Amino acid sequence: MHQLERVTNLLALLLSARRHVTFEEIRNGLRGPYPDNRTAARAAFERDKAILRDEGVPIDSVVLGGDQAGMTGYRILRSDYELGELELDPDELVLHALDVGHE
């Protein structure tokens, strides 16, 4: 699997997560993309996270409690990731409407 595909799959998984997920859950959830060797898999995961963050993707991380105490959990909050409503004034709306058919 190419790195782009792996990073895209990681992005999709973190966006769809309803709670923070650990590295092991990510590794198990994306079966195949990460190497079998845990150290190599962790290194690839850290590189993938860095790529996403460099592109402006806000990966939220927290130290978990309970039965996962001490582990780090990751997720992407849609509210932090998605573009909000555009507030265009009437002149900008007209310009946008005129430009749509010229691409």
Side-chain angles (χ1 to χ4, degrees):
M1 176 177 289
H2 296 307
Q3 186 178 34
L4 177 59
E5 184 178 356
R6 192 178 64 227
V7 170
T8 302
N9 289 341
L10 177 61
L11 174 65
L13 184 143
L14 293 176
L15 271 171
S16 66
R18 295 179 181 256
R19 61 172 178 76
H20 288 86
V21 292
T22 66
F23 164 68
E24 288 301 327
E25 290 172 319
I26 291 166
R27 189 172 166 206
N28 292 332
L30 295 180
R31 296 178 192 182
Y34 290 106
D36 291 334
N37 177 284
R38 190 176 195 292
T39 302
R42 174 57 96 168
F45 173 65
E46 294 299 330
R47 284 191 303 272
D48 295 348
K49 276 192 325 184
I51 289 169
L52 291 173
R53 285 184 169 142
D54 287 347
E55 292 300 320
V57 177
I59 300 174
D60 185 49
S61 60
V62 297
V63 176
L64 302 171
D67 62 341
Q68 295 177 321
M71 294 180 173
T72 302
Y74 307 92
R75 75 184 278 203
I76 299 170
L77 301 172
R78 284 190 175 272
S79 60
D80 293 343
Y81 179 69
E82 293 176 343
L83 182 62
E85 287 293 318
L86 294 178
E87 296 180 16
L88 302 176
D89 64 40
D91 291 337
E92 291 170 323
L93 287 171
V94 169
L95 288 173
H96 176 69
L98 293 174
D99 191 43
V100 169
H102 294 93
E103 293 183 23

